[in-house]
């Protein structure tokens, strides 16, 4: 397990290949280490982080979950897990993970992720509050305005949905907002 783990660490640092490739290769080595000894120190976190950095979000969820169970105070692991859940459309889990993030009030990307997760999980009123606050502070965020308009539309507040949707289109007229 130690040899595979060390190989994974080295592969993750190999700048001669693209980041996606190096993390994918590292993940394979960490996976082998975890198969030999699932409790090897830092193997679950390393595997989850490597899968995450290789943009293999679905495969990152299990090791990140195990790593977070071992280190529940690790906010970075929790953020990665929340992002993986966002990517895989596990909206309720993502919203819950982001709900008590210590950086939530200061980080617009976390607020956006939480607003998106709340909206997609059907918690539209909560999402509208988060997205209205975000859109008021992030004037240039077309995505925040578009989601705010969508939330207000879903709440049946059609007249109030117009302004944020128009703002989104002003900022990014060529980008379609999809579900």
């Amino acid at each position: 397990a130690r040899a595979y783990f060390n190989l994974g660490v080295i592969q993750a640092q190999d700048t001669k290949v693209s980041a996606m490739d190096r993390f994918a290769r590292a993940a394979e080595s960490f996976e082998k280490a975890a198969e030999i000894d699932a409790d090897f120190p830092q193997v679950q976190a390393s595997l989850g982080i490597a899968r995450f950095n290789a943009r293999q979000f679905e495969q990152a969820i299990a090791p990140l979950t195990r790593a977070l169970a071992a280190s529940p105070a690790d906010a970075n692991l929790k953020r990665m897990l929340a992002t993986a859940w966002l990517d895989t459309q596990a909206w309720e889990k993502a919203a819950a993970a982001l709900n008590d993030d210590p950086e939530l009030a200061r980080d617009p990307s976390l607020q956006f992720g939480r607003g998106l997760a709340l909206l997609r999980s059907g918690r539209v009123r909560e999402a509208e509050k988060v997205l209205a606050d975000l859109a008021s502070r992030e004037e240039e965020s077309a995505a925040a305005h578009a989601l705010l308009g969508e939330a207000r539309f879903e709440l049946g507040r059609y007249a109030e949905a117009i302004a944020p949707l128009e703002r989104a289109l002003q900022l990014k007229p060529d980008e379609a907002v999809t579900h």
Side-chain angles (χ1 to χ4, degrees):
R2 181 176 309 280
Y4 279 118
F5 181 83
N6 289 340
L7 178 59
V9 170
I10 292 166
Q11 289 169 322
Q13 296 172 4
D14 182 5
T15 58
K16 294 178 184 169
V17 296
S18 73
M20 296 278 282
D21 289 340
R22 71 180 168 177
F23 286 114
R25 288 179 35 213
E28 291 173 11
S29 295
F30 292 136
E31 184 85 48
K32 289 177 183 173
E35 287 171 7
I36 294 168
D37 183 356
D39 296 323
F40 189 82
Q42 294 299 308
V43 74
Q44 296 299 328
S46 298
L47 175 56
I49 292 167
R51 293 278 187 219
F52 182 89
N53 287 333
R55 302 191 56 78
Q56 299 170 344
F57 296 116
E58 191 168 338
Q59 294 171 294
I61 291 171
L64 287 173
T65 301
R66 288 189 290 272
L68 189 58
S71 301
D74 191 326
N76 289 324
L77 287 175
K78 195 171 188 179
R79 279 184 208 111
M80 281 187 250
L81 183 56
T83 302
W85 280 329
L86 283 170
D87 189 77
T88 59
Q89 301 181 3
W91 307 120
E92 283 289 342
K93 290 178 180 181
L98 293 170
N99 189 49
D100 60 353
D101 191 291
E103 293 296 315
L104 183 63
R106 293 179 292 280
D107 188 331
S109 65
L110 295 175
Q111 293 166 8
F112 180 83
R114 182 165 179 262
L116 173 64
L118 289 168
L119 183 62
R120 296 294 183 255
S121 65
R123 296 165 57 188
V124 182
R125 290 192 195 291
E126 290 175 77
E128 193 267 342
K129 289 177 185 173
V130 170
L131 294 166
D133 182 54
L134 180 61
S136 71
R137 289 182 289 113
E138 296 291 318
E139 277 297 313
E140 300 304 308
S141 174
H145 288 282
L147 284 180
L148 175 58
E150 183 180 335
R152 289 178 175 166
F153 179 85
E154 288 189 26
L155 289 169
R157 295 175 18 212
Y158 306 118
E160 292 178 57
I162 293 170
L165 291 171
E166 285 178 339
R167 182 69 181 138
L169 290 169
Q170 287 172 348
L171 292 169
K172 301 270 183 162
D174 297 332
E175 287 188 23
V177 178
T178 61
H179 290 281

